[in-house]
């Protein structure tokens, strides 16, 4: 479907499954005939008309232009191919469902590979229902928002066990019966798979519609949200609803982008009031430059402005405190609510390494709880630490936690401070304070009695290859990379000069787990100084 998902690019995000009001929008979205446009400047009209598509002929022209553009320019994507070629309606709906869930919050380029592997592994609802959550999490690893995969599988199991393998056949039923299927996903599945004439609103559609009809109030506010759904239902092509919805989303992803919209290439430009507004502003500015009096009737639509908006009482217009910004052009729309800052958290995490069979390194992973953030995924033993905790206390707390989780006695002084890794989740700015510990070697840790800790989480030792294939988060992959980078850097001074090897080894940092307690307590700064010192000495 060619929709970019919000994340880093700042593109509007699709709603998460299950969010948004369940009811259909009001009759506001009906196609209505309006008087023909006149040559003279009309009086301002009511806000409902200003922000609506009220001309049946215009709606028809809009659909025709958009679909013609889509037929010419649409991207070739695997889920689009399946939606067209799959004759089995349940399989078709399932394939659309998978793509829609994966595309929430994730860019098309990232999803393509995941989607292909998923459909190869689980081509039917039955196949997905039979899979284990572990397998689902493993395939989903790296795609983010891990609960999506879990919910998708729960939905497949429900269809198989309670609905005799038959997907619900309308948007309303899809939303009602399937866990994790919200208003957007239901509309997308129903319109693309079954041809139900129902609109959809995701981040891209929101942006396009807000610009088309100058919706400048906070796009996530209830009046704007309902209005957008009303517009989407009114505009959707009755004969080709699936294509129309995909076309609108494609337009938002490829032409009507957040910061640099390609208005000159836009197939629906004649219907865009944000664009008219820009033209009007330019015309006024150039007249002023030429010393001419402002035109009494500048070019643009006959509906010039929202009457209620001019009075400051329209729930769809920009607030008076946020006037038109000429430097933004059409990007004055949509307005976003001030973004809530993600809360900051610190987590101490320990990469526990041992020498496995044939000397291959192995790492200890423990499983996260079955609910909450990153539910059921595997991670290095980790502990959320209170802000302001001193490094020594942090290290001691982590050592105690690792001991409790693994049943292995850990001396805090043996933890090697690797550094910090930052990973931003949707609502959490997480800093992982990374430590490592090599279990083999001098002074290896002594085991403690496991029966003293009966509530230990599931844990296992994995090789690096197993780790990469396991259901671990991207954050944990970053953590391991930081460890590898660190041990690579620590080795480098020793390779600087054979002639000076003796001198270099004198102060060379010890491998993880063999660091002197006083050095470890000083953290990465102390090691950085030591490495530099060693390096200079070697030189
Ligand atoms: Fe978006 Fe520009 Fe097209 Fe309007 S004319 S819909 S702002 S790309
Ligand atoms: Zn208004």
């Amino acid at each position: 479907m060619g929709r970019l998902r919000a994340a880093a690019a700042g593109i509007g995000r699709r709603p998460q499954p299950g969010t948004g009001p369940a009811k259909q929008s009001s009759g506001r979205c009906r196609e209505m005939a309006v008087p023909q446009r006149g040559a003279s400047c009309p009086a301002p009209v009511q806000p409902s008309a200003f922000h609506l598509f009220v001309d049946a002929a215009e709606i028809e022209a809009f659909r025709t232009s958009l679909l013609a553009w889509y037929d010419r320019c649409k991207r070739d994507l695997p889920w689009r191919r399946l939606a067209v070629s799959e004759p089995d309606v349940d399989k078709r709906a399932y394939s659309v469902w998978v793509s829609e869930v994966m595309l929430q919050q994730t860019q098309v380029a990232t999803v393509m590979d995941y989607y292909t592997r998923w459909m190869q592994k689980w081509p039917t609802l039955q196949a997905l229902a039979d899979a284990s959550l572990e397998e689902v999490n493993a395939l989903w690893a790296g795609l983010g928002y891990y609960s999506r995969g879990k919910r998708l599988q729960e939905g497949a199991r429900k269809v198989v066990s309670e609905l005799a393998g038959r997907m619900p056949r309308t948007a309303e039923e899809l939303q009602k019966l399937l866990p994790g299927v919200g208003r957007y996903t239901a509309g997308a599945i129903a319109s693309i798979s079954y041809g139900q004439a129902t609109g959809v609103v995701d981040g891209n559609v929101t942006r396009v519609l807000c610009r088309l009809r100058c919706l400048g109030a906070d796009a996530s506010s209830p009046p704007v949200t309902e209005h957008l759904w009303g517009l989407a239902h009114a505009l959707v092509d009755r004969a080709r609803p699936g294509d129309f919805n995909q076309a609108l989303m494609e337009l938002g992803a490829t032409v009507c982008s957040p910061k640099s919209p390609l208005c000159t290439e836009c197939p629906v430009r004649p219907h865009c009031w944000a664009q008219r507004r820009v033209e009007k502003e330019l015309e006024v500015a150039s007249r002023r430059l030429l010393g001419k009096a402002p035109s009494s009737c500048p070019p643009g639509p006959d509906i010039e402005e929202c009457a209620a908006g001019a009075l400051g009482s329209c729930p769809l217009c920009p607030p008076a405190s946020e006037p038109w910004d000429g430097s933004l052009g059409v990007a004055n729309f949509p307005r976003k609510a001030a973004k809530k800052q993600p809360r900051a958290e610190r987590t101490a995490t320990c990469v526990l390494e041992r020498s496995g069979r044939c000397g291959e390194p192995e790492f200890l992973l423990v499983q996260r709880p079955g609910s909450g953030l990153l539910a059921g995924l595997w991670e290095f033993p980790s502990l959320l630490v209170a802000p302001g905790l001193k490094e020594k206390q942090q290290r001691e707390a982590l050592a105690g936690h690792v001991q409790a989780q693994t049943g292995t006695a850990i001396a805090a002084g043996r933890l090697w401070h690797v550094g910090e890794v930052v990973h931003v989740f949707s609502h959490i700015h997480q800093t992982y304070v990374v430590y490592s510990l090599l279990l083999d070697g001098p002074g290896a840790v002594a085991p403690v009695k496991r029966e003293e800790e009966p509530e230990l989480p599931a844990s296992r030792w994995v090789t690096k290859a197993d780790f990469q294939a396991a259901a671990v988060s991207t954050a944990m992959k970053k953590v391991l990379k930081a460890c590898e980078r660190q041990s690579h850097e620590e080795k480098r001074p020793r390779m600087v000069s054979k002639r000076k090897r003796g001198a270099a080894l004198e102060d060379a940092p010890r491998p993880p787990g063999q660091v002197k307690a006083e050095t470890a307590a000083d953290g990465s700064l102390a090691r950085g100084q030591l490495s530099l010192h060693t390096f200079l000495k070697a030189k």
Side-chain angles (χ1 to χ4, degrees):
M1 258 137 273
R3 282 141 280 171
L4 291 175
R5 293 299 171 267
I11 300 175
R13 292 180 173 186
R14 280 189 186 182
Q16 283 290 287
T19 60
K23 288 178 188 162
Q24 293 289 312
S25 66
S26 68
R28 191 187 232 174
C29 59
R30 283 173 299 143
E31 299 174 19
M32 295 178 285
V34 290
Q36 289 298 303
R37 294 173 181 179
S40 61
C41 290
V45 295
Q46 292 305 305
S48 58
F50 176 69
H51 297 296
L52 283 168
F53 280 80
V54 291
D55 185 338
E58 187 191 9
I59 291 174
E60 204 44 54
F62 182 91
R63 291 170 179 163
T64 305
S65 304
L66 184 64
L67 284 168
W69 169 82
Y70 181 68
D71 291 340
R72 261 193 340 270
C73 302
K74 67 173 176 241
R75 288 171 291 177
D76 179 28
L77 300 171
W79 45 91
R80 283 188 181 152
R81 265 176 262 139
L82 262 180
V84 172
S85 62
E86 178 55 62
D88 183 301
V89 70
D90 290 305
K91 273 194 191 172
R92 189 163 70 233
Y94 165 64
S95 67
V96 172
W97 185 11
V98 173
S99 69
E100 290 302 333
V101 173
M102 284 189 172
L103 286 164
Q104 287 159 8
Q105 319 281 348
T106 312
Q107 295 196 359
V108 166
T110 309
V111 167
M112 284 174 64
D113 175 50
Y114 281 89
Y115 182 79
T116 306
R117 282 190 287 125
W118 182 288
M119 295 308 292
Q120 277 167 358
K121 191 162 181 151
W122 302 302
T124 60
L125 285 156
Q126 182 70 58
L128 178 58
D130 291 343
S132 69
L133 180 59
E134 182 70 23
E135 288 176 291
V136 169
N137 279 339
L139 199 147
W140 202 274
L143 204 50
Y145 299 92
Y146 293 86
S147 59
R148 292 181 295 168
K150 187 180 173 203
R151 281 210 295 257
L152 192 49
Q153 193 196 32
E154 284 167 4
R157 285 182 171 165
K158 178 161 186 190
V159 175
V160 168
S161 63
E162 295 177 30
L163 307 174
R166 189 178 184 273
M167 287 283 286
R169 289 289 192 266
T170 64
E172 295 72 20
E173 283 194 341
L174 283 160
Q175 190 179 345
K176 199 168 113 192
L177 297 177
L178 298 186
V181 171
R183 194 177 187 179
Y184 165 79
T185 309
I189 297 172
S191 62
I192 299 169
S193 313
Y194 312 141
Q196 184 183 346
T198 183
V200 296
V201 177
D202 75 342
N204 286 319
V205 172
T206 294
R207 183 167 56 258
V208 174
L209 293 179
C210 283
R211 289 175 180 172
L212 286 171
R213 282 302 176 262
C214 289
L215 303 174
D218 172 8
S220 61
S221 66
V224 177
T225 304
E226 273 314 299
H227 193 77
L228 290 168
W229 279 95
L231 286 178
H233 287 311
L235 288 174
V236 68
D237 189 271
R238 273 38 183 174
R240 297 177 60 191
D243 283 345
F244 180 90
N245 285 338
Q246 292 183 80
L248 206 51
M249 292 187 268
E250 184 91 334
L251 187 76
T254 61
V255 176
C256 194
S257 60
K259 287 183 184 152
S260 315
L262 307 170
C263 296
T264 52
E265 297 172 24
C266 179
V268 295
R269 183 176 174 177
H271 309 280
C272 180
W273 289 7
Q275 176 60 29
R276 297 274 181 99
R277 173 82 193 256
V278 169
E279 288 165 8
K280 181 181 156 188
E281 297 285 336
L282 282 175
E283 200 266 345
V284 170
S286 66
R287 288 186 78 85
R288 212 174 279 142
L289 208 66
L290 295 169
K292 293 182 186 171
S295 165
S296 59
C297 183
D302 56 349
I303 301 170
E304 289 287 343
E305 60 179 25
C306 167
L311 297 171
S313 61
C314 174
L316 306 176
C317 275
S321 56
E322 294 176 24
W324 173 266
D325 179 346
S327 67
L328 292 177
V330 296
N332 273 282
F333 307 99
R335 299 279 164 119
K336 284 183 186 157
K339 211 175 163 194
K340 213 176 146 194
Q341 287 300 312
R343 71 172 188 271
E345 280 186 2
R346 286 176 76 79
T347 294
T349 190
C350 182
V351 179
L352 221 54
E353 184 183 334
R354 74 175 184 188
S355 191
R357 266 174 292 165
C358 309
E360 193 180 3
E362 289 182 344
F363 306 97
L364 184 73
L365 294 181
V366 295
Q367 193 167 28
R368 287 183 63 85
S371 60
L373 183 73
L374 308 174
L377 264 63
W378 294 81
E379 66 181 7
F380 299 116
S382 300
L383 176 70
L384 194 66
V385 290
L389 205 64
K390 293 217 167 71
E391 204 279 328
K392 187 166 178 279
Q393 297 165 310
Q394 195 170 263
R395 179 192 301 270
E396 279 166 1
L398 180 63
H401 178 71
V402 175
Q403 179 165 323
Q405 283 206 319
T406 62
T408 303
I410 304 286
R414 300 187 60 79
L415 296 183
W416 171 263
H417 183 206
V418 172
E420 295 188 352
V421 167
V422 172
H423 188 80
V424 182
F425 296 95
S426 58
H427 55 299
I428 301 173
H429 186 279
Q430 184 68 260
T431 301
Y432 290 96
V433 188
V434 183
Y435 293 85
S436 72
L437 176 60
L438 184 63
L439 284 181
D440 301 323
V445 291
V448 296
K449 285 180 187 162
R450 209 171 172 83
E451 55 267 25
E452 288 169 11
E453 301 290 347
E455 298 297 322
L456 298 180
S459 62
R460 59 181 167 139
W461 288 93
V462 295
T463 62
K464 187 170 175 199
D466 291 340
F467 174 84
Q468 295 297 354
V472 295
S473 67
T474 306
M476 286 299 120
K477 289 185 177 168
K478 284 190 195 170
V479 165
L480 184 59
K481 233 180 214 159
C483 275
E484 289 174 337
R485 205 168 35 238
Q486 176 79 11
S487 63
H488 176 73
E489 280 169 12
E490 295 299 349
K491 276 175 195 155
R492 204 179 298 151
R494 276 173 276 173
M495 292 185 276
V496 168
S497 162
K498 275 188 180 173
R499 277 186 297 117
K500 298 285 182 184
R501 179 176 285 172
L505 284 175
E506 198 179 299
D507 272 349
R510 289 150 178 79
Q514 294 179 26
V515 65
K516 285 178 186 171
E518 64 272 19
T519 306
D522 288 335
S524 58
L525 178 63
R527 281 197 315 287
Q529 288 164 343
L530 186 62
S531 295
L532 185 60
H533 175 63
T534 307
F535 177 78
L536 291 172
K537 243 180 131 181
K539 279 276 185 193

